[in-house]
Amino acid sequence: PMTGARVEAVGGDFPEDGAEGFTGPDGVVEFGNLSEGRYAVAADAVVGATRIFGRSAATVVRDAIGSVTVSLQPTASIRGRY
């Protein structure tokens, strides 16, 4: 589990709903009172000099509790000089 990762959920249906928060020691963040629909869920964190990032999709159903797992992977920038 990743402590302190920033997690953002952005709704793809109308109304465009969303939430943002940070994971706790158990690697979990909870969002409440979201509208029904599909969401893009993204998480990122910095570990040492490396930024790790992940994305997943989730569907929120009325009066239900759902979960989604986002796997974080290293990202990189490439620069070249010719």
Side-chain angles (χ1 to χ4, degrees):
M2 174 61 66
T3 301
R6 186 181 70 85
V7 180
E8 180 181 34
V10 178
D13 297 330
F14 181 82
E16 192 171 301
D17 204 357
E20 184 176 330
F22 292 88
T23 58
D26 56 359
V28 173
V29 63
E30 294 183 9
F31 300 128
N33 203 30
L34 294 173
S35 301
E36 251 183 313
R38 296 171 297 169
Y39 287 78
V41 182
D44 67 275
V46 175
V47 178
T50 305
R51 179 176 176 258
I52 54 177
F53 179 82
R55 233 176 246 234
S56 194
T59 300
V60 172
V61 179
R62 185 178 184 185
D63 297 327
I65 296 174
S67 67
V68 62
T69 299
V70 179
S71 297
L72 302 179
Q73 302 293 325
T75 61
S77 295
I78 299 175
R79 287 187 219 182
R81 195 167 110 183
Y82 300 96

PDB file of all heavy atoms in Angstrom, residues 5 14 19-20 24 35 45 53 67 73 76:
ATOM      1  N   ALA A   5      -0.503   8.932  -1.290  1.00  0.00           N
ATOM      2  CA  ALA A   5      -0.696   9.117  -2.733  1.00  0.00           C
ATOM      3  C   ALA A   5      -1.907  10.010  -2.966  1.00  0.00           C
ATOM      4  O   ALA A   5      -2.916   9.899  -2.277  1.00  0.00           O
ATOM      5  CB  ALA A   5      -0.893   7.767  -3.427  1.00  0.00           C
ATOM      6  N   PHE A  14     -22.973  13.302 -16.910  1.00  0.00           N
ATOM      7  CA  PHE A  14     -23.519  14.559 -16.397  1.00  0.00           C
ATOM      8  C   PHE A  14     -24.266  14.293 -15.100  1.00  0.00           C
ATOM      9  O   PHE A  14     -24.993  13.314 -15.034  1.00  0.00           O
ATOM     10  CB  PHE A  14     -24.471  15.180 -17.426  1.00  0.00           C
ATOM     11  CG  PHE A  14     -25.038  16.478 -16.955  1.00  0.00           C
ATOM     12  CD1 PHE A  14     -24.309  17.635 -17.083  1.00  0.00           C
ATOM     13  CD2 PHE A  14     -26.283  16.521 -16.347  1.00  0.00           C
ATOM     14  CE1 PHE A  14     -24.821  18.844 -16.637  1.00  0.00           C
ATOM     15  CE2 PHE A  14     -26.797  17.718 -15.891  1.00  0.00           C
ATOM     16  CZ  PHE A  14     -26.053  18.878 -16.045  1.00  0.00           C
ATOM     17  N   ALA A  19     -13.942  13.964  -7.020  1.00  0.00           N
ATOM     18  CA  ALA A  19     -13.419  14.076  -5.664  1.00  0.00           C
ATOM     19  C   ALA A  19     -11.914  13.895  -5.714  1.00  0.00           C
ATOM     20  O   ALA A  19     -11.372  13.313  -6.654  1.00  0.00           O
ATOM     21  CB  ALA A  19     -14.054  13.021  -4.766  1.00  0.00           C
ATOM     22  N   GLU A  20     -11.242  14.407  -4.687  1.00  0.00           N
ATOM     23  CA  GLU A  20      -9.795  14.274  -4.591  1.00  0.00           C
ATOM     24  C   GLU A  20      -9.426  14.064  -3.137  1.00  0.00           C
ATOM     25  O   GLU A  20     -10.062  14.609  -2.234  1.00  0.00           O
ATOM     26  CB  GLU A  20      -9.127  15.541  -5.126  1.00  0.00           C
ATOM     27  CG  GLU A  20      -7.632  15.467  -5.166  1.00  0.00           C
ATOM     28  CD  GLU A  20      -7.016  16.716  -5.788  1.00  0.00           C
ATOM     29  OE1 GLU A  20      -7.643  17.340  -6.642  1.00  0.00           O
ATOM     30  OE2 GLU A  20      -5.895  17.042  -5.379  1.00  0.00           O
ATOM     31  N   GLY A  24      -4.423   6.907   3.102  1.00  0.00           N
ATOM     32  CA  GLY A  24      -3.956   6.773   4.468  1.00  0.00           C
ATOM     33  C   GLY A  24      -2.886   5.694   4.567  1.00  0.00           C
ATOM     34  O   GLY A  24      -2.417   5.165   3.554  1.00  0.00           O
ATOM     35  N   SER A  35     -22.146  11.102  -7.481  1.00  0.00           N
ATOM     36  CA  SER A  35     -23.281  10.781  -8.353  1.00  0.00           C
ATOM     37  C   SER A  35     -23.045   9.448  -9.041  1.00  0.00           C
ATOM     38  O   SER A  35     -21.909   9.045  -9.271  1.00  0.00           O
ATOM     39  CB  SER A  35     -23.447  11.866  -9.422  1.00  0.00           C
ATOM     40  OG  SER A  35     -23.667  13.118  -8.826  1.00  0.00           O
ATOM     41  N   ALA A  45       2.182   9.581  -6.829  1.00  0.00           N
ATOM     42  CA  ALA A  45       2.994   9.817  -5.635  1.00  0.00           C
ATOM     43  C   ALA A  45       4.442   9.971  -6.072  1.00  0.00           C
ATOM     44  O   ALA A  45       4.832   9.509  -7.146  1.00  0.00           O
ATOM     45  CB  ALA A  45       2.858   8.659  -4.656  1.00  0.00           C
ATOM     46  N   PHE A  53       2.669   6.691 -11.103  1.00  0.00           N
ATOM     47  CA  PHE A  53       1.354   7.120 -11.551  1.00  0.00           C
ATOM     48  C   PHE A  53       0.549   5.903 -11.997  1.00  0.00           C
ATOM     49  O   PHE A  53       1.111   4.926 -12.474  1.00  0.00           O
ATOM     50  CB  PHE A  53       1.523   8.086 -12.736  1.00  0.00           C
ATOM     51  CG  PHE A  53       0.245   8.596 -13.305  1.00  0.00           C
ATOM     52  CD1 PHE A  53      -0.422   9.656 -12.731  1.00  0.00           C
ATOM     53  CD2 PHE A  53      -0.313   8.008 -14.424  1.00  0.00           C
ATOM     54  CE1 PHE A  53      -1.609  10.136 -13.259  1.00  0.00           C
ATOM     55  CE2 PHE A  53      -1.496   8.475 -14.970  1.00  0.00           C
ATOM     56  CZ  PHE A  53      -2.140   9.547 -14.377  1.00  0.00           C
ATOM     57  N   SER A  67     -15.359  -0.469  -5.083  1.00  0.00           N
ATOM     58  CA  SER A  67     -13.925  -0.255  -4.891  1.00  0.00           C
ATOM     59  C   SER A  67     -13.212  -0.386  -6.226  1.00  0.00           C
ATOM     60  O   SER A  67     -13.705  -1.014  -7.162  1.00  0.00           O
ATOM     61  CB  SER A  67     -13.363  -1.248  -3.878  1.00  0.00           C
ATOM     62  OG  SER A  67     -13.410  -2.562  -4.396  1.00  0.00           O
ATOM     63  N   GLN A  73       2.874   2.879 -11.314  1.00  0.00           N
ATOM     64  CA  GLN A  73       4.071   2.496 -12.065  1.00  0.00           C
ATOM     65  C   GLN A  73       4.940   3.733 -12.268  1.00  0.00           C
ATOM     66  O   GLN A  73       4.424   4.839 -12.366  1.00  0.00           O
ATOM     67  CB  GLN A  73       3.680   1.928 -13.434  1.00  0.00           C
ATOM     68  CG  GLN A  73       2.764   0.728 -13.382  1.00  0.00           C
ATOM     69  CD  GLN A  73       3.444  -0.487 -12.783  1.00  0.00           C
ATOM     70  OE1 GLN A  73       4.625  -0.692 -12.979  1.00  0.00           O
ATOM     71  NE2 GLN A  73       2.696  -1.280 -12.042  1.00  0.00           N
ATOM     72  N   ALA A  76       8.499   8.473 -16.742  1.00  0.00           N
ATOM     73  CA  ALA A  76       9.808   8.997 -17.120  1.00  0.00           C
ATOM     74  C   ALA A  76       9.661  10.059 -18.191  1.00  0.00           C
ATOM     75  O   ALA A  76       8.653  10.142 -18.889  1.00  0.00           O
ATOM     76  CB  ALA A  76      10.689   7.870 -17.649  1.00  0.00           C
TER      77      ALA A  76
END
